Amino acid sequence: MLSLYKTVRRIAELDILKNDGRRRLSAFWAPTWGIKARGTDKDENSTSHSAGEPNRGVNRHAKTIQEEGSLSRLISSGFVTQLFKLQDRKQKKFLLSPTHEEEITTIVGGVVHSYKELPLRLYQITRKYRDEPRPRQGLLRTREFLMKDLYTFDSTKEKALETYETVRRVYRDFFNEFKIPYLVAEAESGTIGGTLSHEFQFPSPNGEDSVISCNSCSYVANEELAIGAKRSTARHTLSKPTELSHRTAMTFGPPSDTLLLKTFPYKQWTGISKDRNTIFRAIFPAEIEDLTYPEQPPRGAQPNLNEFRKIFTDLDISVENCTEEHISKNEKDQLWRLYFDYRLPKLFVDDYIAEKSSEGLISPQTYVDAIKQYENRSIDLIKIQSGDPCPKCSQGTLLVQRAVELGHTFHLGTRYSRPLNATFAVEPISKVEPNPSSKDDSPATAAQTAYFQMGCHGIGVSRLIATIASILSDSQGLNWPRCIAPFEIVVIPTQLDLITDAASIYDLLSISPSSSSSSSSSLAIGGFDTIIDDRTEKDAGWKLNDADLIGYPIIIVLGKSWRNSGGQMLEVQCRRLGVRKEVSVQELRDEVGEILAQL
């Protein structure tokens, strides 16, 4: 007890606990605290669109894998290698939660019983866990990460889609605050499910996603969903055009004497199924030419792995272009499946199949399936590249960018409510007429109950911090946007005798013009989020370097200009905008406001 008393007494003697209401780095360094919303308008972003936070233990995800027919089995079938699995002392199997749609649906299905309780919006900010095979770059890709999730429940599909668009607008407003270019891309729903989804992607060389956008129209899509314009053809160097059509389609049998395989440039990509019983081979031109702009030089073709996964759902993606070691010595023990790019000439396809059939690799049924697929002219096996024509407009070209996914919106429909039997009592049938023919809207029982129409929407909080830091940082340090900076302004006195003057500048910036108090409660409309670097043990150069390293949007220096002007001129710095200028005390608030408006 005496030891505790001495410690408290020593702290008091050091003056650490004495605080005049001003934020000082000599007393603490912490993220922004005590901030109140500026203005009287409702802040939709901070309230997550009027959502409530459930006070239930959704983190636990305590359903066993085998029990209750839960969706964990459906999800795990899609990315079983990314699940953290464990057993308790009774050998029961559990998962560390990779996502929470099941738990939220179960909770709502148990407490919401009538259409009068809808619409409902629930949000949470919580940890998720995935056994990421390649965690890297700090918080960009980790096995444990923080996410903000919003779950929406509506009574009809039409209302759910209206909610979806509202959330997309709120997310755009949220990401607009960072004043960093981003793309909203059409995306696949993946293992989460649903029929509609969009990604919020920040272009970055550190990203693992590829986003395709048009330079002329509004087309933007994730590489997994992007489609190429079918306005290109395979490039060949045959001297006579008739060589591509000198004979009709050949029958299943031995190859011809004049194989086009010998002269036509092509590539092939070989994959294998997870059970190692099926060989998947994609054949495509080595080079392609643009029919719209024939004057452009031909481009080398690369395999479209996303398309391969769609075509052959059992493909083992961990094996890239498998070699002889994955193929059985007795090749006839494995089933071959051939897929031809639509640009390849028919004669080439015939000759390729003929050669493989003579080697005994493919069966008559494989031949029939391959020809049927090719004649549909629907499969594009070549990866989209920058400069390809846009599939939506005639004049635009596509740009492929690396990007980091920071937000994702999903319209789930009844993807979770139906399997978990989460229903509610609908309005009387005279007011609402359920559509029994629709799988997405049909009631659970005739015109009495219906499944919830759901949506889920997420923002990667920890990844957001890492992405912004990587995009805006430079050799001197971080460059935080105004909305997430620890403080908007740091005031640095270069000499100890200027600390009192720095406090007056602090008051000028942080206190509303209508207030005369310097307490934190006066940080009202018009006050900037400011801190003083009054640490006495560090010199001015160290403080300036530290301010750059931390990444304050604005640095205000009281130094030589302040002394020479008799306390009238200060130096204002903003490294992100390249601002370094002298400003008078009278113009300081306006100048700082104009700079912060750009950040």
Side-chain angles (χ1 to χ4, degrees):
M1 195 69 181
L2 182 61
S3 175
L4 176 62
Y5 170 78
K6 290 181 177 179
T7 301
V8 173
R9 182 67 178 269
R10 178 58 178 159
I11 291 174
E13 291 173 353
L14 292 174
D15 205 31
I16 292 177
L17 295 181
K18 295 179 181 179
N19 196 329
D20 59 2
R22 298 182 180 94
R23 297 167 181 172
R24 298 173 178 269
L25 284 176
S26 60
F28 71 94
W29 190 96
T32 304
W33 55 271
I35 285 185
K36 299 179 180 179
R38 293 183 173 86
T40 57
D41 294 338
K42 190 174 184 179
D43 186 348
E44 288 184 307
N45 297 325
S46 62
T47 58
S48 193
H49 191 58
S50 303
E53 183 176 8
N55 294 317
R56 297 286 294 274
V58 294
N59 268 335
R60 57 189 176 84
H61 205 74
K63 297 264 177 64
T64 60
I65 296 177
Q66 298 93 344
E67 293 176 353
E68 301 182 18
S70 74
L71 291 179
S72 296
R73 292 181 297 175
L74 299 178
I75 295 177
S76 63
S77 65
F79 54 99
V80 65
T81 58
Q82 295 186 29
L83 295 177
F84 273 113
K85 293 173 284 186
L86 58 123
Q87 291 181 333
D88 65 8
R89 66 185 65 189
K90 297 181 179 179
Q91 304 306 309
K92 276 193 173 183
K93 295 182 179 180
F94 292 85
L95 303 175
L96 289 182
S97 176
T99 186
H100 298 119
E101 284 74 20
E102 298 175 43
E103 292 291 341
I104 293 292
T105 305
T106 301
I107 291 172
V108 172
V111 299
V112 176
H113 305 293
S114 170
Y115 72 94
K116 295 180 181 180
E117 300 173 78
L118 299 175
L120 177 66
R121 286 87 175 87
L122 299 173
Y123 83 95
Q124 63 177 355
I125 300 175
T126 188
R127 290 177 175 86
K128 294 185 179 181
Y129 305 87
R130 294 175 189 172
D131 193 5
E132 179 62 47
R134 293 184 298 117
R136 65 187 188 92
Q137 296 192 35
L139 295 175
L140 272 183
R141 184 163 291 278
T142 61
R143 294 180 173 181
E144 177 185 352
F145 52 95
L146 196 65
M147 280 199 71
K148 192 285 299 181
D149 292 314
L150 170 65
Y151 303 94
T152 64
F153 297 81
D154 287 279
S155 56
T156 66
K157 182 177 180 179
E158 291 73 23
K159 292 180 179 179
L161 290 175
E162 290 178 5
T163 299
Y164 182 86
E165 292 303 321
T166 300
V167 175
R168 282 185 61 198
R169 175 179 57 80
V170 173
Y171 272 30
R172 284 196 297 269
D173 292 342
F174 171 77
F175 286 115
N176 286 342
E177 289 190 23
F178 297 104
K179 293 182 171 60
I180 300 175
Y182 68 93
L183 299 169
V184 183
E186 299 176 14
E188 284 195 330
S189 297
T191 54
I192 298 299
T195 58
L196 175 67
S197 75
H198 288 83
E199 294 173 347
F200 292 79
Q201 297 271 7
F202 277 49
S204 167
N206 296 321
E208 291 192 335
D209 290 346
S210 291
V211 180
I212 318 296
S213 59
C214 176
N215 63 2
S216 180
C217 69
S218 60
Y219 178 72
V220 182
N222 185 292
E223 186 180 42
E224 296 175 352
L225 195 66
I227 55 174
K230 293 188 176 181
R231 299 202 295 268
S232 62
T233 185
R235 179 178 182 268
H236 58 81
T237 56
L238 301 180
S239 58
K240 298 178 181 180
T242 55
E243 292 184 29
L244 292 178
S245 58
H246 75 277
R247 58 183 168 86
T248 58
M250 67 184 303
T251 58
F252 182 77
S256 66
D257 295 332
T258 58
L259 276 176
L260 190 57
L261 294 176
K262 299 177 181 178
T263 55
F264 193 90
Y266 73 96
K267 293 181 180 180
Q268 59 186 23
W269 189 94
T270 306
I272 195 167
S273 61
K274 296 173 183 176
D275 61 9
R276 300 298 188 265
N277 290 330
T278 306
I279 302 298
F280 168 93
R281 177 162 289 174
I283 305 98
F284 52 93
E287 293 183 324
I288 58 175
E289 295 177 313
D290 195 333
L291 296 176
T292 308
Y293 306 100
E295 68 279 1
Q296 293 185 355
R299 298 190 301 276
Q302 299 298 324
N304 186 349
L305 300 184
N306 291 311
E307 188 68 20
F308 297 168
R309 297 186 188 106
K310 294 177 187 177
I311 298 170
F312 190 33
T313 56
D314 195 39
L315 183 67
D316 186 349
I317 60 176
S318 66
V319 179
E320 297 183 5
N321 208 2
C322 69
T323 58
E324 287 77 8
E325 63 181 275
H326 300 100
I327 301 176
S328 171
K329 293 182 179 179
N330 184 5
E331 294 173 330
K332 295 182 180 179
D333 291 342
Q334 292 173 315
L335 174 65
W336 282 71
R337 295 177 63 178
L338 305 179
Y339 293 89
F340 295 92
D341 185 84
Y342 76 90
R343 302 171 184 84
L344 292 169
K346 181 67 166 61
L347 181 59
F348 170 87
V349 175
D350 289 334
D351 282 345
Y352 188 96
I353 292 176
E355 181 179 81
K356 297 306 175 185
S357 65
S358 68
E359 297 173 0
L361 295 183
I362 63 174
S363 64
Q365 185 59 48
T366 300
Y367 165 77
V368 172
D369 292 342
I371 290 298
K372 182 178 179 181
Q373 164 267 310
Y374 170 77
E375 290 178 344
N376 287 334
R377 297 281 178 165
S378 59
I379 296 183
D380 186 349
L381 300 178
I382 295 178
K383 186 177 182 180
I384 295 175
Q385 302 178 56
S386 292
D388 284 356
C390 175
K392 296 295 184 181
C393 67
S394 58
Q395 65 273 19
T397 58
L398 298 178
L399 173 66
V400 182
Q401 301 179 80
R402 302 299 290 173
V404 179
E405 178 191 345
L406 295 181
H408 207 143
T409 57
F410 297 88
H411 168 62
L412 299 174
T414 59
R415 167 70 173 82
Y416 291 88
S417 58
R418 181 180 291 273
L420 293 174
N421 197 30
T423 63
F424 65 95
V426 301
E427 291 186 75
I429 194 169
S430 59
K431 295 182 180 180
V432 175
E433 185 66 36
N435 181 5
S437 63
S438 171
K439 292 182 180 180
D440 203 36
D441 290 321
S442 58
T445 60
Q448 296 178 0
T449 61
Y451 298 113
F452 292 106
Q453 290 288 330
M454 292 177 55
C456 69
H457 318 273
I459 293 175
V461 178
S462 51
R463 182 183 286 187
L464 176 67
I465 300 296
T467 301
I468 292 176
S470 67
I471 291 175
L472 297 182
S473 63
D474 57 25
S475 59
Q476 293 177 265
L478 298 167
N479 262 317
W480 294 115
R482 176 186 186 182
C483 59
I484 61 171
F487 295 95
E488 294 174 338
I489 304 168
V490 60
V491 180
I492 301 178
T494 57
Q495 300 293 332
L496 295 181
D497 62 343
L498 296 179
I499 292 179
T500 302
D501 293 342
S504 66
I505 298 300
Y506 173 98
D507 293 342
L508 174 67
L509 295 170
S510 63
I511 302 172
S512 170
S514 61
S515 173
S516 59
S517 170
S518 62
S519 66
S520 60
S521 61
S522 65
L523 283 175
I525 304 170
F528 299 110
D529 190 13
T530 310
I531 192 167
I532 308 171
D533 190 349
D534 60 342
R535 291 173 288 186
T536 58
E537 69 277 12
K538 301 296 182 181
D539 60 31
W542 189 96
K543 292 180 183 179
L544 289 170
N545 289 333
D546 185 62
D548 282 335
L549 183 63
I550 292 173
Y552 300 106
I554 293 180
I555 301 172
I556 295 178
V557 183
L558 280 74
K560 184 177 181 180
S561 297
W562 178 263
R563 290 189 183 279
N564 293 341
S565 63
Q568 294 299 314
M569 301 296 294
L570 309 101
E571 183 177 302
V572 176
Q573 301 179 13
C574 176
R575 195 169 86 254
R576 183 176 171 191
L577 299 181
V579 174
R580 190 186 187 101
K581 60 193 299 187
E582 293 185 359
V583 178
S584 68
V585 172
Q586 292 76 14
E587 298 174 342
L588 182 61
R589 286 184 61 90
D590 292 338
E591 184 68 30
V592 166
E594 291 178 5
I595 294 175
L596 288 176
Q598 303 175 61
L599 303 176

